[in-house]
Amino acid sequence: MRDSGQFLLVVHEAMVKAGIDVDAIYRKLGYDAAKLPLKELRTPHQQQALFWQIVEGVTGDADIGLHLCPHLPLFRGEVIEYLMFSSPTFGEGIVRALKYLRLISDALSVRLVHDADGARIGVIGSALEAPQLRHTEICVVYELIQFARSVTERHFDPPLKVKLRCSARSPQADYEQVFGCPVEFDGSEGEIWFDPALLEYRSPRWDPDLLRLHEELAQKRLSDLHRRDLVEQIRKVLSQRLELESCDLDDVAREVGLAPRRLRFELARAGTSFSQIVTDFRYALARRLLVRTEESIDNIVYLTGFSEPSTFYRAFKRWSGLTPVQFRERHRAG
């Protein structure tokens, strides 16, 4: 499961605005903040727990998620936001936008509930249980409220109440000041309760033509994401099969559950090919083994799926301009 870098971008901007030493945080994470293409990142969800653990450590604030909320910029959900604006009602916009939630996160589960008890947006902020992810939940619930206020031109203000899965670490009044409503804790899921009449709120920007275009764009981006997932799935299969004698397209297609022709088609749509993925994987694996391990060259030949040392040497020289021995010596000397 992965998260869009858009969430990290929002939190990053909030930390900068709050005067937090973001460079210290990224150094501990092993990142160079200035070089991070935050918006384009899609990071493993489990890294959020480590991220918040380090943020807690650097700031000394056990409730940092709550204290960042007033500094969080409005989440611009791009195509999801456009779907909300161009839908006829707030309720229809929510249902439509939730179809494309994967564009934001694989781990975030959000649902709209409207029953005899009332209307609420249910939020399970993470499929990974970790104490540090309370900060993700708090920030996500806060951002959803701000987003709902924006697309309803502040008619969603204030919500009736908020329920959180996490427990309180600050005084009750601090939470209620941030969320602008009563707050409850230790729930089975996060919930944002609001006036059911808001589901029928008519969007002043409703446009059926734009709605159709926005849905097409959302579907295209979701399809692109599925293809990226397919490439990652192939790389995982290669890591398990590369040293085997049989690791051709037909074998991998069978492993990922696609017909070979379909696999070729999907990879072409993703702008790559099976042979290119194999080449890139072998080169990356060879570099890592040469620089980070003491494996012999003969063993690296086997581990990268080559049948002969001479074939490996020629391929590596073509990839890097150096022999494997020269590459290892140069990078270890540096």
Side-chain angles (χ1 to χ4, degrees):
M1 294 181 295
R2 292 179 176 269
D3 301 310
S4 165
Q6 290 179 317
F7 178 76
L8 180 57
L9 179 61
V10 166
V11 173
H12 171 84
E13 292 181 8
M15 292 193 299
V16 171
K17 188 176 179 181
I20 294 172
D21 187 352
V22 294
D23 289 333
I25 290 169
Y26 290 122
R27 277 197 302 273
K28 288 181 178 291
L29 286 167
Y31 296 154
D32 183 342
K35 295 181 180 178
L36 275 178
L38 297 176
K39 193 172 181 180
E40 286 74 32
L41 283 178
R42 197 162 180 91
T43 56
H45 182 66
Q46 60 265 31
Q47 287 187 4
Q48 280 205 33
L50 174 62
F51 171 79
W52 285 118
Q53 181 181 353
I54 290 174
V55 173
E56 275 192 38
V58 169
T59 62
D61 186 349
D63 216 355
I64 184 62
L66 177 71
H67 299 141
L68 279 178
C69 284
H71 304 288
L72 290 171
L74 177 65
F75 175 70
R76 313 306 309 200
E78 294 188 346
V79 68
I80 290 180
E81 183 178 21
Y82 303 152
L83 285 170
M84 291 290 299
F85 278 128
S86 53
S87 294
T89 68
F90 177 63
E92 290 182 50
I94 293 176
V95 172
R96 188 167 281 113
L98 291 182
K99 291 165 52 181
Y100 302 101
L101 195 61
R102 267 210 74 205
L103 296 176
I104 300 173
S105 173
D106 298 323
L108 182 64
S109 175
V110 179
R111 63 193 184 107
L112 174 64
V113 181
H114 184 202
D115 55 23
D117 294 329
R120 64 265 190 203
I121 298 170
V123 183
I124 299 178
S126 169
L128 174 69
E129 297 293 340
Q132 295 81 7
L133 291 178
R134 62 175 285 112
H135 307 306
T136 296
E137 179 192 12
I138 289 170
C139 290
V140 165
V141 169
Y142 180 84
E143 283 292 87
L144 283 172
I145 292 172
Q146 302 311 307
F147 184 73
R149 284 172 174 161
S150 172
V151 297
T152 60
E153 299 191 338
R154 302 200 69 83
H155 285 77
F156 196 98
D157 193 8
L160 300 180
K161 66 178 176 181
V162 161
K163 289 185 178 181
L164 297 174
R165 298 170 71 199
C166 62
S167 58
R169 290 183 179 176
S170 297
Q172 176 94 14
D174 291 359
Y175 291 90
E176 296 186 350
Q177 181 178 2
V178 166
F179 289 108
C181 64
V183 180
E184 301 174 8
F185 303 92
D186 302 308
S188 58
E189 65 181 273
E191 294 177 340
I192 305 167
W193 290 70
F194 59 94
D195 183 351
L198 279 172
L199 292 171
E200 301 304 320
Y201 170 79
R202 307 290 296 182
S203 173
R205 306 184 195 183
W206 175 43
D207 186 316
D209 294 330
L210 285 178
L211 177 58
R212 184 170 56 255
L213 289 173
H214 294 153
E215 282 219 88
E216 290 174 359
L217 175 59
Q219 187 57 56
K220 178 183 180 301
R221 291 191 176 177
L222 195 60
S223 297
D224 290 344
L225 185 56
H226 287 318
R227 292 187 182 100
R228 287 170 59 183
D229 290 344
L230 176 61
V231 171
E232 288 301 317
Q233 196 176 356
I234 291 171
R235 288 174 180 153
K236 183 177 180 180
V237 172
L238 290 176
S239 70
Q240 298 166 343
R241 296 185 59 94
L242 198 59
E243 72 277 10
L244 302 178
E245 290 184 4
S246 179
C247 188
D248 58 19
L249 185 141
D250 288 351
D251 296 316
V252 174
R254 188 163 47 250
E255 292 273 1
V256 300
L258 292 176
R261 180 179 296 180
R262 181 69 184 185
L263 180 58
R264 288 191 189 92
F265 172 78
E266 293 295 342
L267 293 178
R269 291 287 299 273
T272 187
S273 66
F274 180 73
S275 61
Q276 186 62 53
I277 294 173
V278 172
T279 296
D280 292 345
F281 184 87
R282 281 175 161 169
Y283 182 35
L285 178 59
R287 293 199 313 268
R288 186 163 64 250
L289 292 171
L290 286 167
V291 175
R292 300 183 184 178
T293 76
E294 299 298 331
E295 293 282 359
S296 68
I297 302 297
D298 285 345
N299 205 30
I300 292 175
V301 171
Y302 166 74
L303 291 172
T304 51
F306 285 89
S307 57
E308 297 289 340
S310 59
T311 308
F312 172 71
Y313 270 80
R314 285 195 301 272
F316 196 87
K317 184 71 179 290
R318 185 172 65 252
W319 294 334
S320 68
L322 301 170
T323 68
V325 173
Q326 290 171 331
F327 185 89
R328 173 173 270 175
E329 291 174 347
R330 176 173 296 187
H331 283 79
R332 289 192 170 179

